[in-house]
Amino acid sequence: MKQEHIDALRHQTIPDQGLLIDGQWAAAASGQALPVVSPIDGQQLCTIAAAGAVDVDRAVQAARRSFEQGVWSRMAPAERKKILHRIADRIEAHHAELAVLGVRDNGTEIAMAWKAEPGSAAGTFRYYAECVDKINGEIAPTPEGTLGLIHKEAVGVVGAIVPWNFPLMIGAWKIAPALAAGNSVVLKPSEDASLSLLRLAQLCLDAGLPAGVLNVVTGSGAEAGEALARHMDVDILTFTGSGPVGRMLLKASAESNLKRVYLELGGKSPNVVFEDAPDLAQAAKVSAMGIFRNSGQVCVAGSRLLVQRSVHDEFVDRLQNIASSLRVGDPLDVTMDIGAVSSARQLTRNQSMLARALEQGARLRTGGQVIAPVPGGQFMSPAVLDGVQPEMEIARQEVFGPVLAVMPFDDEAHAVRLANGTEYGLAAGVWTGSLSRAHRMVRAIKAGLVHVNTYGGPDITVPLGGVRQSGNGHDKSMHALDKYLDLKTAWIQL
Ligand code: NAD
């Protein structure tokens, strides 16, 4: 990643974007479009087509047709595998372009976006390319004279709705396994970050993915998203986003065709530091980035820091020093630690939750200011709050911004009570030098992912999913394939 490569791409003109339906790019039937405004400087980059129910219906029909014709679903697995690898090749060849495009759209600092966006998307396509010819059926242990075969079949048409914080990475977590299993897909990116996914869709076509197998409908959640969620011919819906929208999708399924709905939602993840942590300086450094990278807009962000009382003051001092020294600014400058907040709406939400926390008695140790390192952009300095009480909103609800809520605890039992004291269960961290305590905490914390002596970084080989109100499905790993496969039994009299 070199600054001159990024600078060469940062001012490229971006044409207005259409919908991808059946291998063709086209405007929305209504002719409507939404402006794409960069959070870096408030400049309009281009427009995206605002799909309505008519466009979504055309996209679903194209997906269904391609599925039934078998252009992908019945293509030999070895051929499908080659195409998925070719998609990964294309992503790698366009790494810098995809990374810069995505950052101009959503403001993530380039150092992070470089690895997490095209870097991880390419790896995800390779991982699932290698799965295509390893999806085996089963033979059941049935009585003499009978044969029970368990087939694994593609489900059909997959609707995928994704958020703005890591569009390419999360989009790939859904598209790649869905395609590996032989499905056709209709993707609905976030209206706040569609550009890198639209570019990915073109790269998929260039790599030889047949027309209609991947369709992209951009536009608002209320129109395009809702139409996809309520469509009678979508077989499953895979979603990453907020809890309130997750609830609406379950309702839409219940009121339409009972499509299966997989939800990857938000969290208020506890990061628990014990006095016996092997290296408190390292724990503070990693914990700070565990909440502040991408301006806190990370689903697994360790946004609740629980610190054992004996080391609490020392640890909070360290964190305050680290947070106040982080460089916040132009996300396309490779030296920045933190980029822009993705939208004015999100910045307002961050500020109001921070203000309510202060009203309720939390103390601001550092940060929390709206700043303007680039004129016209949306930026916020990382905030550390102590004096937080477990019943405060800031200790219970997701901000999705650079705000860390710190609380002390007395012993292990107290830490577990606090850690499990929200409606969420996405991720957690534990810092301890005791192997036994680490294992006890992994078992006791209600979350889909528990880090020990680190925070962030699990790769594609392990699942990511939440429990409780953080969701009900898993992205990543071989387990993600299960969402995109149906089981069919053949019972045969011999
Ligand atoms: P969001 O729920 O507002 O939007 C997500 C997607 O849903 C967007 O594409 C949006 O257009 C669409 N949508 C909105 N309303 C809709 C409706 N009525 N019907 C259908 N679709 C609709 O979430 P966001 O603000 O884009 O993302 C932030 C949230 O995502 C946070 O809560 C964060 O924790 C969560 N998230 C979770 C994970 C995970 O893996 N669990 C990963 C990243 C983000």
Side-chain angles (χ1 to χ4, degrees):
M1 186 183 65
K2 292 225 170 80
Q3 188 66 54
E4 63 258 34
H5 293 154
I6 292 157
D7 290 340
L9 291 161
R10 66 180 300 157
H11 298 298
Q12 269 190 354
T13 307
I14 305 169
D16 290 343
Q17 305 283 306
L19 309 170
L20 178 63
I21 299 178
D22 212 6
Q24 304 293 322
W25 293 98
S30 65
Q32 290 189 349
L34 302 173
V36 175
V37 175
S38 176
I40 303 177
D41 54 10
Q43 296 296 311
Q44 181 168 330
L45 298 173
C46 62
T47 63
I48 50 169
V54 176
D55 307 292
V56 170
D57 184 48
R58 282 186 51 232
V60 174
Q61 282 186 38
R64 173 63 60 195
R65 220 168 24 246
S66 70
F67 183 74
E68 296 303 336
Q69 286 169 351
V71 290
W72 178 253
S73 52
R74 293 199 293 278
M75 184 187 279
E79 292 306 309
R80 277 197 267 139
K81 174 175 172 164
K82 273 190 210 153
I83 292 177
L84 293 185
H85 272 301
R86 284 211 293 270
I87 295 173
D89 296 341
R90 295 284 195 290
I91 296 172
E92 283 165 0
H94 293 265
H95 193 130
E97 179 201 344
L98 285 163
V100 172
L101 188 62
V103 170
R104 291 175 75 191
D105 206 1
N106 79 348
T108 303
E109 57 279 359
I110 187 77
M112 170 103 211
W114 190 268
K115 280 190 247 149
E117 288 279 271
S120 95
T124 298
F125 273 91
R126 289 215 190 284
Y127 181 88
Y128 289 106
E130 286 303 327
C131 294
V132 172
D133 53 3
K134 296 170 192 71
I135 299 171
N136 298 315
E138 296 164 18
I139 301 176
T142 55
E144 189 70 22
T146 61
L147 178 61
L149 300 179
I150 304 167
H151 294 268
K152 292 186 182 171
E153 296 187 337
V155 296
V157 175
V158 172
I161 303 181
V162 297
W164 44 258
N165 57 337
F166 291 102
L168 213 47
M169 174 176 83
I170 295 172
W173 286 350
K174 307 212 182 279
I175 302 165
L179 293 180
N183 299 282
S184 291
V185 177
V186 179
L187 173 72
K188 155 65 183 90
S190 166
E191 53 275 48
D192 292 326
S194 298
L195 300 182
S196 55
L197 281 169
L198 289 164
R199 187 73 187 104
L200 171 69
Q202 180 60 50
L203 296 177
C204 290
L205 292 179
D206 297 347
L209 191 70
V213 176
L214 174 64
N215 306 274
V216 186
V217 286
T218 49
S220 76
E223 277 208 49
E226 184 89 18
L228 192 58
R230 291 186 175 274
H231 202 286
M232 294 301 285
D233 204 25
V234 170
D235 296 300
I236 76 158
L237 206 57
T238 172
F239 171 75
T240 296
S242 61
V245 175
R247 265 175 224 282
M248 285 195 264
L249 299 182
L250 290 171
K251 192 159 174 259
S253 163
E255 289 173 358
S256 58
N257 63 342
L258 294 175
K259 56 182 73 63
R260 292 203 293 271
V261 181
Y262 294 101
L263 304 174
E264 320 281 338
L265 308 175
K268 188 79 196 179
S269 298
N271 184 20
V272 187
V273 180
F274 285 95
E275 61 189 5
D276 65 356
D279 180 347
L280 282 178
Q282 174 69 1
K285 213 165 102 194
V286 176
S287 297
M289 289 323 282
I291 168 69
F292 296 132
R293 65 203 158 118
N294 200 10
S295 297
Q297 302 163 142
V298 178
C299 57
V300 296
S303 53
R304 275 190 303 148
L305 182 71
L306 312 180
V307 190
Q308 194 151 19
R309 210 176 288 280
S310 51
V311 292
H312 175 273
D313 293 352
E314 170 196 349
F315 199 79
V316 178
D317 286 346
R318 284 182 195 271
L319 264 171
Q320 178 180 338
N321 290 336
I322 296 167
S324 54
S325 68
L326 292 172
R327 285 154 303 176
V328 185
D330 178 5
L332 288 168
D333 175 339
V334 297
T335 66
M336 288 299 148
D337 298 306
I338 301 174
V341 174
S342 79
S343 66
R345 192 178 66 247
Q346 186 61 46
L347 188 59
T348 306
R349 178 182 159 87
N350 297 350
Q351 287 293 309
S352 25
M353 283 190 76
L354 185 59
R356 284 199 293 277
L358 298 178
E359 273 162 28
Q360 288 169 17
R363 252 192 330 266
L364 184 61
R365 294 286 298 254
T366 184
Q369 266 75 50
V370 174
I371 52 175
V374 183
Q378 326 279 346
F379 295 86
M380 177 169 162
S381 56
V384 176
L385 291 170
D386 68 1
V388 172
Q389 299 298 322
E391 62 284 354
M392 289 179 184
E393 178 195 49
I394 202 70
R396 312 188 75 81
Q397 296 303 323
E398 183 183 50
V399 179
F400 218 54
V403 182
L404 180 64
V406 189
M407 285 178 278
F409 68 84
D410 297 312
D411 55 20
E412 203 174 302
H414 188 199
V416 170
R417 267 201 318 281
L418 286 176
N420 289 338
T422 72
E423 65 197 24
Y424 298 110
L426 189 56
V430 177
W431 297 83
T432 176
S434 157
L435 187 60
S436 306
R437 170 177 275 162
H439 282 293
R440 282 196 303 270
M441 290 299 288
V442 168
R443 287 185 183 194
I445 292 179
K446 296 183 197 307
L449 161 66
V450 184
H451 305 86
V452 176
N453 294 334
T454 187
Y455 206 99
D459 67 14
I460 188 69
T461 59
V462 289
L464 174 64
V467 296
R468 305 205 277 188
Q469 292 188 34
S470 288
N472 64 1
H474 289 96
D475 282 330
K476 299 167 62 194
S477 83
M478 299 285 284
H479 294 285
L481 286 167
D482 294 341
K483 294 195 289 197
Y484 306 107
L485 291 165
D486 271 333
L487 298 179
K488 179 190 276 177
T489 296
W491 185 258
I492 301 168
Q493 191 67 47
L494 298 176

